[in-house]
Amino acid sequence: MNDTSATEPEPAEAAEPELSPFSLEELGLSAEEIAEIEGMNDAQVGAAGASAASAEPAMTPFSFEELGLSPEEVAALEGIGDVGGTEPETVATPAPEPAE
């Protein structure tokens, strides 16, 4: 009763068939049928692109004032992006205490 084939599972790759790509010609379609299918795909892609563009609302720029910010808040935000204007504030960090 030393049958090892019953206790060893088969590799997963043996259980799954190997898949290979196929062409429409291999499915038995004629050149005219293939051209018709490709034309339908192109028409669907073009229609989907056109409807997506028209369904999207036009975007308009807005100002900080329209968002309800005060002039002081706007000035503070505009100063954040200035690189050469002023030096950034440095925060002092305490030096680590020496271990005893």
Side-chain angles (χ1 to χ4, degrees):
M1 297 220 159
N2 244 351
D3 189 12
T4 59
S5 65
T7 58
E8 293 180 13
E10 289 189 30
E13 7 180 282
E16 296 180 17
E18 186 175 323
L19 299 176
S20 60
F22 61 89
S23 67
L24 296 175
E25 289 94 9
E26 291 174 349
L27 293 177
L29 296 173
S30 67
E32 293 83 21
E33 291 170 323
I34 294 171
E36 184 178 327
I37 290 173
E38 290 174 349
M40 289 186 333
N41 288 340
D42 292 341
Q44 289 175 347
V45 169
S51 66
S54 64
E56 212 171 286
M59 298 185 70
T60 58
F62 58 89
S63 67
F64 289 125
E65 289 84 13
E66 290 175 339
L67 293 176
L69 274 70
S70 68
E72 293 83 21
E73 292 170 324
V74 172
L77 286 174
E78 290 173 349
I80 290 175
D82 293 342
V83 178
T86 60
E87 283 190 30
E89 293 181 24
T90 57
V91 178
T93 56
E97 295 181 20
E100 290 180 31

